[in-house]
Amino acid sequence: MTITPLMPVYPRCGVRPVRGEGAYLIGEQGERYLDFAAGIAVNILGHGHPGLVKAIADQAATLMHVSNLYGSPQGEHLAQRLVDKTFADTVFFTNSGTEAVECAIKTARRYHYAKGNPEKNRIISFSNAFHGRTMGAISATNQPKMRDGFEPLLPGFTVVPFNDLAAAEAAIGPDAAGFLIEPIQGEGGIMPATQEFMTGLRDLADKHGMLLILDEIQCGYARTGTFFAHEQYGITPDIMCVAKGIGGGFPLGACLATEEAASGMVIGTHGSTYGGNPLAMAAGEAVLDVVGEQEFLDNVKRMGDRLRQALEQMIPNHDHLFESVRGSGLMLGIRLKTESRSFVAHLRDNHGLLTAAGGDNVVRILPPLNIEESHIAECIEKLSAGARSYKVPEAA
């Protein structure tokens, strides 16, 4: 037998964490890494946050799981808090981001079905997007690495160029149900939508009776310095997918919607065995207790500004490698003049800095949202040392 016990679908590196402390991960041999990947924007309170740990431990000792056939005081409370803080009127809790995307797609299609327009079932999405790995989510992207070998994909999706409003408008037809978009593409390389594009999609959706679905799985939950990234564009969605930071490391996602958008989601139309379980709700409450405060959001903005400024000051010293900085808050990317994956590996293996590669030759900088200035200084020091010691691979 040559296959590994863990199905070999990840190119796992030599970092083998067994413990976490704040902004650091500790490996099997005691080696320490500054974690500026944060589980790919998941561990927004770092590792071992006392409030989150206590909430999970207390709830685990009380009640972990019950069927959704019963009432959920835990889910009702967290849902009400999210409704109070957002555009939404209702929430469906999931276990992951891709499940939140599936719920959003179903909600949009069911809306039109319930309105007597079942032909309006096509979702318009955008190039370089990443919405997850389910069949529905990969059908909404044009990336071969997501799609190859999984055909036939699901019908009812059209992918058009990101930030191209004319292309989005041209794709609209009588069967168009809605737009699905990340306000800031994460996997695609920390690529923000333009103001014109986001405003234009909202206007087109309203004009053509479509729904605007935002995927804020990576860019939401305080990551950009506002509770959700769409707030910075001055628009609101009809449906929104949330995950990653919402549980601070505990598996949790959510699909938020207005009452109108969710009008087709009646008893029997959707479900989840584990979604909204009491343990996940306790984690979600503990995270929201912290990140829902304006003082916390203001600090994310401050730390994001300082990190960006430090990165921009560093770039001219290594202009053979670095090109530019993009992103918002503590969702930042450094575009390289060469491919980024080998540099990410170099930082990890030789300088103890964990980052994440993204599309368009970008190194994603996604630290915990409660980092301090000392962590920023350490990150810049490690990045600079990494740039000095890095040998750019020769072109094939």
Side-chain angles (χ1 to χ4, degrees), residues 363-386:
V363 175
R364 284 183 281 173
I365 310 293
L366 303 165
L369 301 186
N370 55 355
I371 56 168
E372 300 174 357
E373 291 190 38
S374 61
H375 299 125
I376 293 175
E378 185 178 352
C379 171
I380 298 300
E381 180 182 342
K382 290 179 181 294
L383 275 169
S384 296

PDB file of all heavy atoms in Angstrom, residues 363-386:
ATOM      1  N   VAL A 363       1.952  37.104  -2.184  1.00  0.00           N
ATOM      2  CA  VAL A 363       2.115  36.528  -0.848  1.00  0.00           C
ATOM      3  C   VAL A 363       1.043  37.156   0.032  1.00  0.00           C
ATOM      4  O   VAL A 363       1.017  38.381   0.208  1.00  0.00           O
ATOM      5  CB  VAL A 363       3.510  36.823  -0.271  1.00  0.00           C
ATOM      6  CG1 VAL A 363       3.607  36.319   1.171  1.00  0.00           C
ATOM      7  CG2 VAL A 363       4.592  36.186  -1.127  1.00  0.00           C
ATOM      8  N   ARG A 364       0.155  36.325   0.550  1.00  0.00           N
ATOM      9  CA  ARG A 364      -0.925  36.838   1.398  1.00  0.00           C
ATOM     10  C   ARG A 364      -0.442  36.999   2.838  1.00  0.00           C
ATOM     11  O   ARG A 364       0.157  36.079   3.410  1.00  0.00           O
ATOM     12  CB  ARG A 364      -2.127  35.900   1.366  1.00  0.00           C
ATOM     13  CG  ARG A 364      -2.940  35.984   0.113  1.00  0.00           C
ATOM     14  CD  ARG A 364      -4.152  35.085   0.157  1.00  0.00           C
ATOM     15  NE  ARG A 364      -3.829  33.693  -0.106  1.00  0.00           N
ATOM     16  CZ  ARG A 364      -4.682  32.694  -0.002  1.00  0.00           C
ATOM     17  NH1 ARG A 364      -5.929  32.925   0.388  1.00  0.00           N
ATOM     18  NH2 ARG A 364      -4.322  31.458  -0.287  1.00  0.00           N
ATOM     19  N   ILE A 365      -0.708  38.163   3.407  1.00  0.00           N
ATOM     20  CA  ILE A 365      -0.385  38.471   4.806  1.00  0.00           C
ATOM     21  C   ILE A 365      -1.715  38.548   5.546  1.00  0.00           C
ATOM     22  O   ILE A 365      -2.476  39.513   5.395  1.00  0.00           O
ATOM     23  CB  ILE A 365       0.377  39.807   4.934  1.00  0.00           C
ATOM     24  CG1 ILE A 365       1.559  39.862   3.960  1.00  0.00           C
ATOM     25  CG2 ILE A 365       0.823  40.022   6.373  1.00  0.00           C
ATOM     26  CD1 ILE A 365       2.669  38.894   4.253  1.00  0.00           C
ATOM     27  N   LEU A 366      -2.008  37.507   6.349  1.00  0.00           N
ATOM     28  CA  LEU A 366      -3.320  37.374   7.001  1.00  0.00           C
ATOM     29  C   LEU A 366      -3.132  37.046   8.483  1.00  0.00           C
ATOM     30  O   LEU A 366      -3.475  35.961   8.943  1.00  0.00           O
ATOM     31  CB  LEU A 366      -4.124  36.254   6.319  1.00  0.00           C
ATOM     32  CG  LEU A 366      -4.372  36.393   4.814  1.00  0.00           C
ATOM     33  CD1 LEU A 366      -4.848  35.075   4.232  1.00  0.00           C
ATOM     34  CD2 LEU A 366      -5.366  37.513   4.536  1.00  0.00           C
ATOM     35  N   PRO A 367      -2.612  37.970   9.262  1.00  0.00           N
ATOM     36  CA  PRO A 367      -2.321  37.662  10.669  1.00  0.00           C
ATOM     37  C   PRO A 367      -3.578  37.620  11.523  1.00  0.00           C
ATOM     38  O   PRO A 367      -4.657  38.042  11.080  1.00  0.00           O
ATOM     39  CB  PRO A 367      -1.432  38.840  11.089  1.00  0.00           C
ATOM     40  CG  PRO A 367      -1.929  39.978  10.248  1.00  0.00           C
ATOM     41  CD  PRO A 367      -2.276  39.361   8.910  1.00  0.00           C
ATOM     42  N   PRO A 368      -3.457  37.122  12.744  1.00  0.00           N
ATOM     43  CA  PRO A 368      -4.554  37.315  13.698  1.00  0.00           C
ATOM     44  C   PRO A 368      -4.881  38.802  13.797  1.00  0.00           C
ATOM     45  O   PRO A 368      -3.998  39.653  13.627  1.00  0.00           O
ATOM     46  CB  PRO A 368      -3.982  36.767  15.010  1.00  0.00           C
ATOM     47  CG  PRO A 368      -2.903  35.823  14.600  1.00  0.00           C
ATOM     48  CD  PRO A 368      -2.311  36.403  13.340  1.00  0.00           C
ATOM     49  N   LEU A 369      -6.112  39.125  14.081  1.00  0.00           N
ATOM     50  CA  LEU A 369      -6.531  40.520  14.099  1.00  0.00           C
ATOM     51  C   LEU A 369      -6.163  41.238  15.396  1.00  0.00           C
ATOM     52  O   LEU A 369      -6.318  42.458  15.484  1.00  0.00           O
ATOM     53  CB  LEU A 369      -8.042  40.615  13.865  1.00  0.00           C
ATOM     54  CG  LEU A 369      -8.548  40.017  12.555  1.00  0.00           C
ATOM     55  CD1 LEU A 369     -10.037  40.299  12.388  1.00  0.00           C
ATOM     56  CD2 LEU A 369      -7.758  40.521  11.359  1.00  0.00           C
ATOM     57  N   ASN A 370      -5.676  40.489  16.382  1.00  0.00           N
ATOM     58  CA  ASN A 370      -5.271  41.109  17.650  1.00  0.00           C
ATOM     59  C   ASN A 370      -3.756  41.196  17.781  1.00  0.00           C
ATOM     60  O   ASN A 370      -3.223  41.200  18.893  1.00  0.00           O
ATOM     61  CB  ASN A 370      -5.880  40.368  18.835  1.00  0.00           C
ATOM     62  CG  ASN A 370      -5.558  38.878  18.824  1.00  0.00           C
ATOM     63  OD1 ASN A 370      -4.955  38.357  17.887  1.00  0.00           O
ATOM     64  ND2 ASN A 370      -5.963  38.173  19.874  1.00  0.00           N
ATOM     65  N   ILE A 371      -3.036  41.267  16.661  1.00  0.00           N
ATOM     66  CA  ILE A 371      -1.587  41.420  16.730  1.00  0.00           C
ATOM     67  C   ILE A 371      -1.211  42.770  17.319  1.00  0.00           C
ATOM     68  O   ILE A 371      -2.020  43.708  17.343  1.00  0.00           O
ATOM     69  CB  ILE A 371      -0.925  41.266  15.351  1.00  0.00           C
ATOM     70  CG1 ILE A 371      -1.534  42.263  14.348  1.00  0.00           C
ATOM     71  CG2 ILE A 371      -1.019  39.835  14.855  1.00  0.00           C
ATOM     72  CD1 ILE A 371      -0.740  42.378  13.053  1.00  0.00           C
ATOM     73  N   GLU A 372       0.028  42.862  17.766  1.00  0.00           N
ATOM     74  CA  GLU A 372       0.571  44.096  18.328  1.00  0.00           C
ATOM     75  C   GLU A 372       1.691  44.621  17.428  1.00  0.00           C
ATOM     76  O   GLU A 372       2.135  43.938  16.494  1.00  0.00           O
ATOM     77  CB  GLU A 372       1.089  43.827  19.745  1.00  0.00           C
ATOM     78  CG  GLU A 372      -0.004  43.324  20.679  1.00  0.00           C
ATOM     79  CD  GLU A 372       0.531  42.910  22.045  1.00  0.00           C
ATOM     80  OE1 GLU A 372       1.776  42.968  22.247  1.00  0.00           O
ATOM     81  OE2 GLU A 372      -0.290  42.529  22.900  1.00  0.00           O
ATOM     82  N   GLU A 373       2.161  45.825  17.720  1.00  0.00           N
ATOM     83  CA  GLU A 373       3.211  46.430  16.903  1.00  0.00           C
ATOM     84  C   GLU A 373       4.479  45.589  16.902  1.00  0.00           C
ATOM     85  O   GLU A 373       5.207  45.552  15.894  1.00  0.00           O
ATOM     86  CB  GLU A 373       3.504  47.846  17.390  1.00  0.00           C
ATOM     87  CG  GLU A 373       2.366  48.819  17.112  1.00  0.00           C
ATOM     88  CD  GLU A 373       2.760  50.260  17.371  1.00  0.00           C
ATOM     89  OE1 GLU A 373       3.916  50.622  17.061  1.00  0.00           O
ATOM     90  OE2 GLU A 373       1.922  51.017  17.880  1.00  0.00           O
ATOM     91  N   SER A 374       4.750  44.894  17.999  1.00  0.00           N
ATOM     92  CA  SER A 374       5.945  44.052  18.043  1.00  0.00           C
ATOM     93  C   SER A 374       5.866  42.916  17.024  1.00  0.00           C
ATOM     94  O   SER A 374       6.885  42.516  16.443  1.00  0.00           O
ATOM     95  CB  SER A 374       6.138  43.467  19.446  1.00  0.00           C
ATOM     96  OG  SER A 374       5.036  42.653  19.816  1.00  0.00           O
ATOM     97  N   HIS A 375       4.676  42.417  16.785  1.00  0.00           N
ATOM     98  CA  HIS A 375       4.507  41.363  15.785  1.00  0.00           C
ATOM     99  C   HIS A 375       4.735  41.907  14.373  1.00  0.00           C
ATOM    100  O   HIS A 375       5.317  41.223  13.525  1.00  0.00           O
ATOM    101  CB  HIS A 375       3.107  40.754  15.884  1.00  0.00           C
ATOM    102  CG  HIS A 375       2.814  40.121  17.200  1.00  0.00           C
ATOM    103  ND1 HIS A 375       1.723  40.480  17.966  1.00  0.00           N
ATOM    104  CD2 HIS A 375       3.476  39.166  17.901  1.00  0.00           C
ATOM    105  CE1 HIS A 375       1.717  39.765  19.082  1.00  0.00           C
ATOM    106  NE2 HIS A 375       2.757  38.967  19.064  1.00  0.00           N
ATOM    107  N   ILE A 376       4.270  43.135  14.133  1.00  0.00           N
ATOM    108  CA  ILE A 376       4.499  43.760  12.831  1.00  0.00           C
ATOM    109  C   ILE A 376       5.988  43.947  12.598  1.00  0.00           C
ATOM    110  O   ILE A 376       6.503  43.639  11.514  1.00  0.00           O
ATOM    111  CB  ILE A 376       3.743  45.100  12.745  1.00  0.00           C
ATOM    112  CG1 ILE A 376       2.233  44.850  12.741  1.00  0.00           C
ATOM    113  CG2 ILE A 376       4.167  45.886  11.506  1.00  0.00           C
ATOM    114  CD1 ILE A 376       1.392  46.112  12.780  1.00  0.00           C
ATOM    115  N   ALA A 377       6.687  44.436  13.608  1.00  0.00           N
ATOM    116  CA  ALA A 377       8.146  44.633  13.474  1.00  0.00           C
ATOM    117  C   ALA A 377       8.845  43.316  13.198  1.00  0.00           C
ATOM    118  O   ALA A 377       9.766  43.240  12.355  1.00  0.00           O
ATOM    119  CB  ALA A 377       8.696  45.279  14.741  1.00  0.00           C
ATOM    120  N   GLU A 378       8.433  42.255  13.884  1.00  0.00           N
ATOM    121  CA  GLU A 378       9.044  40.945  13.669  1.00  0.00           C
ATOM    122  C   GLU A 378       8.745  40.423  12.272  1.00  0.00           C
ATOM    123  O   GLU A 378       9.620  39.834  11.607  1.00  0.00           O
ATOM    124  CB  GLU A 378       8.543  39.956  14.720  1.00  0.00           C
ATOM    125  CG  GLU A 378       9.210  38.588  14.646  1.00  0.00           C
ATOM    126  CD  GLU A 378       8.737  37.629  15.715  1.00  0.00           C
ATOM    127  OE1 GLU A 378       7.985  38.064  16.622  1.00  0.00           O
ATOM    128  OE2 GLU A 378       9.098  36.441  15.642  1.00  0.00           O
ATOM    129  N   CYS A 379       7.540  40.636  11.798  1.00  0.00           N
ATOM    130  CA  CYS A 379       7.176  40.211  10.449  1.00  0.00           C
ATOM    131  C   CYS A 379       8.041  40.907   9.406  1.00  0.00           C
ATOM    132  O   CYS A 379       8.571  40.262   8.487  1.00  0.00           O
ATOM    133  CB  CYS A 379       5.699  40.506  10.201  1.00  0.00           C
ATOM    134  SG  CYS A 379       5.158  40.262   8.488  1.00  0.00           S
ATOM    135  N   ILE A 380       8.186  42.218   9.519  1.00  0.00           N
ATOM    136  CA  ILE A 380       8.984  42.977   8.553  1.00  0.00           C
ATOM    137  C   ILE A 380      10.435  42.530   8.600  1.00  0.00           C
ATOM    138  O   ILE A 380      11.100  42.391   7.554  1.00  0.00           O
ATOM    139  CB  ILE A 380       8.866  44.488   8.828  1.00  0.00           C
ATOM    140  CG1 ILE A 380       7.411  44.949   8.654  1.00  0.00           C
ATOM    141  CG2 ILE A 380       9.802  45.268   7.915  1.00  0.00           C
ATOM    142  CD1 ILE A 380       6.837  44.723   7.278  1.00  0.00           C
ATOM    143  N   GLU A 381      10.953  42.283   9.800  1.00  0.00           N
ATOM    144  CA  GLU A 381      12.337  41.812   9.933  1.00  0.00           C
ATOM    145  C   GLU A 381      12.529  40.473   9.216  1.00  0.00           C
ATOM    146  O   GLU A 381      13.502  40.266   8.487  1.00  0.00           O
ATOM    147  CB  GLU A 381      12.689  41.669  11.413  1.00  0.00           C
ATOM    148  CG  GLU A 381      14.098  41.181  11.673  1.00  0.00           C
ATOM    149  CD  GLU A 381      14.388  40.999  13.152  1.00  0.00           C
ATOM    150  OE1 GLU A 381      13.645  41.567  13.975  1.00  0.00           O
ATOM    151  OE2 GLU A 381      15.341  40.267  13.482  1.00  0.00           O
ATOM    152  N   LYS A 382      11.574  39.575   9.403  1.00  0.00           N
ATOM    153  CA  LYS A 382      11.682  38.254   8.772  1.00  0.00           C
ATOM    154  C   LYS A 382      11.499  38.349   7.253  1.00  0.00           C
ATOM    155  O   LYS A 382      12.166  37.642   6.491  1.00  0.00           O
ATOM    156  CB  LYS A 382      10.658  37.297   9.386  1.00  0.00           C
ATOM    157  CG  LYS A 382      10.973  36.901  10.827  1.00  0.00           C
ATOM    158  CD  LYS A 382       9.903  35.964  11.390  1.00  0.00           C
ATOM    159  CE  LYS A 382      10.192  35.578  12.832  1.00  0.00           C
ATOM    160  NZ  LYS A 382      11.403  34.763  12.968  1.00  0.00           N
ATOM    161  N   LEU A 383      10.581  39.201   6.807  1.00  0.00           N
ATOM    162  CA  LEU A 383      10.403  39.392   5.375  1.00  0.00           C
ATOM    163  C   LEU A 383      11.662  39.955   4.732  1.00  0.00           C
ATOM    164  O   LEU A 383      12.086  39.498   3.651  1.00  0.00           O
ATOM    165  CB  LEU A 383       9.230  40.346   5.117  1.00  0.00           C
ATOM    166  CG  LEU A 383       7.830  39.747   5.072  1.00  0.00           C
ATOM    167  CD1 LEU A 383       6.789  40.857   5.077  1.00  0.00           C
ATOM    168  CD2 LEU A 383       7.649  38.881   3.825  1.00  0.00           C
ATOM    169  N   SER A 384      12.275  40.939   5.380  1.00  0.00           N
ATOM    170  CA  SER A 384      13.486  41.543   4.841  1.00  0.00           C
ATOM    171  C   SER A 384      14.630  40.536   4.800  1.00  0.00           C
ATOM    172  O   SER A 384      15.355  40.439   3.794  1.00  0.00           O
ATOM    173  CB  SER A 384      13.892  42.757   5.682  1.00  0.00           C
ATOM    174  OG  SER A 384      12.914  43.769   5.625  1.00  0.00           O
ATOM    175  N   ALA A 385      14.774  39.775   5.883  1.00  0.00           N
ATOM    176  CA  ALA A 385      15.819  38.754   5.905  1.00  0.00           C
ATOM    177  C   ALA A 385      15.559  37.697   4.841  1.00  0.00           C
ATOM    178  O   ALA A 385      16.490  37.218   4.171  1.00  0.00           O
ATOM    179  CB  ALA A 385      15.880  38.105   7.282  1.00  0.00           C
ATOM    180  N   GLY A 386      14.292  37.343   4.677  1.00  0.00           N
ATOM    181  CA  GLY A 386      13.946  36.367   3.657  1.00  0.00           C
ATOM    182  C   GLY A 386      14.249  36.863   2.258  1.00  0.00           C
ATOM    183  O   GLY A 386      14.740  36.106   1.410  1.00  0.00           O
TER     184      GLY A 386
END
